[in-house]
Amino acid sequence: MERPSLLLCKGLLLAASLLACGNAPTAAELTIELVPPMVAEGGNSVLFVHKMPLNTQAFYWYKQKDPTKSYEVARYLTPTNASSKMPQHSGRKTVFYSGSLLIKNVTQADSGLYTLLTFNTEMESELTHVHLDVQKPVAQPTLQADHTTVTEDSSVALTCLSGDPGLSIRWLFNHQSLYFNDRMTLSQKNSRLSINPARREDAGEYQCEVSNGYSSKQSVPVQVSVTSE
Ligand SMILES: *[C@@H]1O[C@H](CO)[C@@H](O)[C@H](O)[C@H]1NC(C)=O
Ligand SMILES: *[C@@H]1O[C@H](CO)[C@@H](O)[C@H](O)[C@H]1NC(C)=O
């Protein structure tokens, strides 16, 4: 029946990606991988099942750890049961024949521990867990210009303001990646763009885009005009 030491080992493997484990997994070990590894609200997440045993008779997905005290998110019985045609859809969730569970348009409420309970043809059961953490998407940054109309040969500075620290910042000009020239400098961890001296060709729409690896947001464009007087 269930093998607690092996389950614990699997839990460790999933939680910490440890390569070494007391009970060396056999080649046919069932594992669950999150694809992508990090997901923000509004994204899709696949709880991807690797190596579902060939003698699997039925499987059930549960949210939380203990199947008796939690709600079922999906189930799959024998392939001969007409009620178990794959893929199975229910709301934002889809279960595939492979066992994988797709959750679309995730919210923070989808965060938590998911458990896959499998039964083989001998009605032996096994539990495998995976933890889904839905991240908050980055907030939209605000772009501020010290001047929106400047005369040629004077300077202009743009500052990208974001509530989230430690983000990577990309600059856009007329909705494309900004091509930096030698009159432009970046400072304050790329959040401030100075153009000195400004030229007519610098006139246009500026935006900054912040990203944290799993989500990104662009500011509203700021129009900068360069006059010859
Ligand atoms: C098919 O599965 C359902 C549960 O989802 C069960 O109630 C029903 O008895 C099964 N039918 C057969 C023919 O096994
Ligand atoms: C995603 O979910 C949010 C609510 O959580 C909803 O407002 C939005 O319309 C959904 N988007 C899609 C594409 O289904």
Side-chain angles (χ1 to χ4, degrees):
M1 302 303 278
E2 287 182 25
R3 290 161 294 166
S5 62
L6 192 59
L7 292 176
L8 178 65
C9 174
K10 262 195 227 172
L12 285 173
L13 275 171
L14 289 166
S17 301
L18 294 176
L19 291 174
C21 190
N23 282 326
T26 63
E29 194 74 6
L30 188 161
T31 55
I32 306 170
E33 181 192 5
L34 292 175
V35 181
M38 298 271 261
V39 65
E41 272 183 317
N44 298 337
S45 183
V46 180
L47 282 57
F48 196 97
V49 174
H50 291 281
K51 300 196 171 119
M52 178 71 89
L54 291 175
N55 64 350
T56 301
Q57 193 70 10
F59 65 77
Y60 303 84
W61 273 105
Y62 297 94
K63 179 122 182 261
Q64 307 311 333
K65 195 168 185 165
D66 179 358
T68 62
K69 286 189 188 146
S70 52
Y71 70 92
E72 204 173 283
V73 294
R75 67 161 64 191
Y76 171 67
L77 299 170
T78 62
T80 51
N81 190 320
S83 75
S84 61
K85 280 218 176 68
M86 289 285 136
Q88 253 178 35
H89 305 279
S90 101
R92 295 176 293 116
K93 299 186 180 75
T94 303
V95 187
F96 297 93
Y97 183 75
S98 65
S100 298
L101 173 65
L102 162 68
I103 309 174
K104 287 196 215 165
N105 194 10
V106 294
T107 67
Q108 300 264 319
D110 293 318
S111 289
L113 192 69
Y114 288 77
T115 298
L116 178 66
L117 170 63
T118 56
F119 287 97
N120 67 16
T121 41
E122 274 76 59
M123 290 316 273
E124 290 170 337
S125 66
E126 198 172 333
L127 295 167
T128 311
H129 309 293
V130 67
H131 198 278
L132 178 66
D133 258 322
V134 177
Q135 313 289 325
K136 274 242 163 281
V138 293
Q140 188 184 29
T142 306
L143 187 58
Q144 285 182 349
D146 60 354
H147 299 95
T148 50
T149 302
V150 292
T151 51
E152 211 168 1
D153 291 334
S154 67
S155 71
V156 60
L158 295 145
T159 307
C160 185
L161 302 171
S162 163
D164 295 282
L167 301 172
S168 66
I169 298 176
R170 190 165 80 97
W171 288 88
L172 298 132
F173 178 63
N174 292 335
H175 305 277
Q176 301 197 332
S177 274
L178 173 66
Y179 174 77
F180 288 94
N181 60 42
D182 56 8
R183 295 174 293 102
M184 295 175 172
T185 43
L186 285 174
S187 57
Q188 295 171 16
K189 294 185 178 159
N190 296 342
S191 68
R192 188 178 164 88
L193 170 70
S194 307
I195 309 173
N196 189 18
R199 294 277 155 78
R200 295 293 289 267
E201 66 259 32
D202 299 323
E205 286 193 337
Y206 288 83
Q207 278 169 288
C208 65
E209 181 186 89
V210 297
S211 60
N212 62 1
Y214 40 83
S215 70
S216 63
K217 290 249 169 66
Q218 292 180 358
S219 69
V220 169
V222 168
Q223 176 77 43
V224 172
S225 307
V226 181
T227 60
S228 43
E229 299 291 295

